[in-house]
Amino acid sequence: MMTTVSLAGMVGGAGAADLTLYTSQPNEDAQATVDGFMAAYPDIQVDWVRDGTTKLMARLMAEIEAGNPAADVLLIADTVTLERMKQAGDLMAYTSPEASHYDASLYDADGYYYSTKLITTGIMYNTQASMTPESWMDLVKPEAKGLVAMPSPLTSGAALIHAQTLTGVDGFGWDYYRKLKENGATASGGNGGVLKAVASGEKAYGVVVDYMPIREKAKGAPVEFVFPKEGVTAVTEPVAILKGTRHAQAAQKFVDYVLSEKGQQGFVDLGYIPARDGMPMPAGFPARDSFKVLPIDAAKAVKNGDADLKTFSTIFGTN
C-alpha cells in the first residue's frame, strides 16, 4: 500500500516502507510515477512526500541536520538544487545502466543525479495579442509595453534557472532584464499566476513553463506557446539517492525505473518532454529537434545564486 503524506506531517508507514520518496511533482504526477514504479516492482512499498522544492528542501535540510533524514530518493525540480546537495556531501553516487541513453549534459558525470524530463520556459501569448512573439527580444519591443507577465526568481525555482541561463547568453545579460522592467514587464509569484493573467487577457504575453499553456490550449483556452528562436531554458526534475539511505537497492531500482523507457513513457503520458533519447514527444509539443535548449552550468549557478537574486531584486524589487 502506498502512503501519500503532507509536508506538515510525519511520513506515514515509513518504518514499513521499502522506499520513501521526496518530490516536487504535482500530486497527480507523483501518484502516477509511484504507481508506475510499483507496477514494475510490486514487492517494493513506496511512501511519498510532496511539496514545492523550497519547502521540501527546508524540511529535508532540517532532517539531515538532525541526523535523521526520512527520504531515500529525491525527484526534485532542478539540477542546481541537487548540485548544491552534491557539494554538501548529502547524495549517494550511483552509476545507472540507463545513462547510456541520455545526453551527457543531462546527468552528473559522477552519478549523483540524473535529469528525468525537460520542463522548458518559453513565451505564451493570448491569441488576441497584436504580435506573435518569436524571440525573447520581442518582449522588450514597444508592442509588448506593459503587457508582459513573468514569475519571480524570488518565488519560482524555474524562474531563477531561467534568469541564470538567459543572462549567460551573448546579447542578453542582466541588461535584458533591465529592458524588460523599462518596458513595463511585471514579475511576481509563480507560473500559475502568469498563466491566469495571459489566459484571461489581463496580459498579452507571459514567460512560463511549457506544459501549463499547452494543457490549457487543449482545454480550449485562447493561448499559444512559443519556443523562442534563441532557445528555451529548462528545469529537468533530476532524480537522486540520499546519502545514508537504508534502502539503497530499492532506491537504485527507482532511479533505473524513471530513466528507463517505460518510466520515461510515463512522463510523456503526463505531458512532459522526456529526457531520454529516442522517445516520442507528448501531445501538443513540436518535434524535439525543432527547438534548442540552452545549457546551464549547475556548479556556477550554485556559486552565483545569492548574487543573482540580489541583482534581480535591484531591478524588479522584492515581489
Side-chain angles (χ1 to χ4, degrees):
M1 178 180 176
M2 183 279 301
T3 305
T4 306
V5 190
S6 69
L7 183 68
M10 296 298 290
V11 176
D18 298 298
L19 196 68
T20 298
L21 168 69
Y22 276 20
T23 183
S24 60
Q25 295 179 105
N27 283 329
E28 290 183 4
D29 295 354
Q31 180 74 67
T33 301
V34 168
D35 285 349
F37 173 73
M38 291 183 66
Y41 295 96
D43 58 328
I44 299 177
Q45 177 185 324
V46 180
D47 289 351
W48 56 277
V49 175
R50 187 274 159 194
D51 211 301
T53 297
T54 300
K55 291 182 178 179
L56 200 60
M57 289 302 299
R59 172 176 177 149
L60 181 58
M61 289 301 102
E63 291 175 350
I64 290 173
E65 188 172 341
N68 190 33
D72 297 297
V73 66
L74 310 174
L75 191 55
I76 293 177
D78 60 83
T79 55
V80 177
T81 297
L82 291 186
E83 175 64 27
R84 187 178 294 113
M85 291 189 71
K86 172 191 172 181
Q87 293 181 14
D90 294 328
L91 301 179
M92 184 187 90
Y94 170 58
T95 302
S96 173
E98 300 292 341
S100 62
H101 299 282
Y102 287 73
D103 187 281
S105 66
L106 292 175
Y107 60 89
D108 177 61
D110 299 317
Y112 283 97
Y113 52 84
Y114 298 85
S115 297
T116 64
K117 59 179 70 75
L118 301 177
I119 302 175
T120 72
T121 290
I123 301 171
M124 70 176 292
Y125 65 96
N126 190 288
T127 54
Q128 297 300 310
S130 62
M131 173 182 63
T132 299
E134 298 178 349
S135 163
W136 290 113
M137 289 300 179
D138 288 339
L139 299 184
V140 298
K141 288 181 175 179
E143 297 96 309
K145 189 171 182 65
L147 298 175
V148 177
M150 58 187 188
S152 171
L154 303 175
T155 305
S156 165
L160 176 57
I161 297 293
H162 176 68
Q164 291 185 301
T165 306
L166 199 58
T167 55
V169 175
D170 288 346
F172 285 84
W174 285 107
D175 281 345
Y176 175 70
Y177 275 80
R178 294 183 181 95
K179 291 176 182 177
L180 284 170
K181 177 64 175 178
E182 291 167 4
N183 207 39
T186 58
S188 65
N191 286 274
V194 174
L195 177 71
K196 183 178 180 180
V198 179
S200 69
E202 176 188 346
K203 296 289 185 179
Y205 311 101
V207 177
V208 71
V209 292
D210 54 28
Y211 68 90
M212 287 186 171
I214 289 175
R215 286 179 182 177
E216 290 305 300
K217 177 187 176 182
K219 297 175 184 176
V223 298
E224 294 284 352
F225 182 79
V226 174
F227 293 81
K229 63 183 181 181
E230 298 91 349
V232 289
T233 64
V235 294
T236 61
E237 203 154 61
V239 63
I241 301 171
L242 205 67
K243 184 179 179 179
T245 173
R246 290 170 292 180
H247 306 112
Q249 289 188 341
Q252 290 169 2
K253 289 178 180 178
F254 184 85
V255 170
D256 291 343
Y257 170 76
V258 296
L259 298 180
S260 71
E261 189 171 349
K262 183 179 290 186
Q264 288 287 291
Q265 185 60 50
F267 294 137
V268 173
D269 294 343
L270 290 170
Y272 297 104
I273 301 171
R276 184 183 174 103
D277 293 338
M279 298 294 298
M281 292 289 283
F285 284 74
R288 177 64 184 84
D289 60 3
S290 69
F291 59 89
K292 176 183 177 182
V293 178
L294 298 168
I296 186 170
D297 184 329
K300 182 178 179 181
V302 169
K303 180 180 178 181
N304 296 337
D306 289 343
D308 289 336
L309 288 172
K310 287 180 182 179
T311 301
F312 178 85
S313 295
T314 62
I315 300 170
F316 276 93
T318 56
N319 290 333

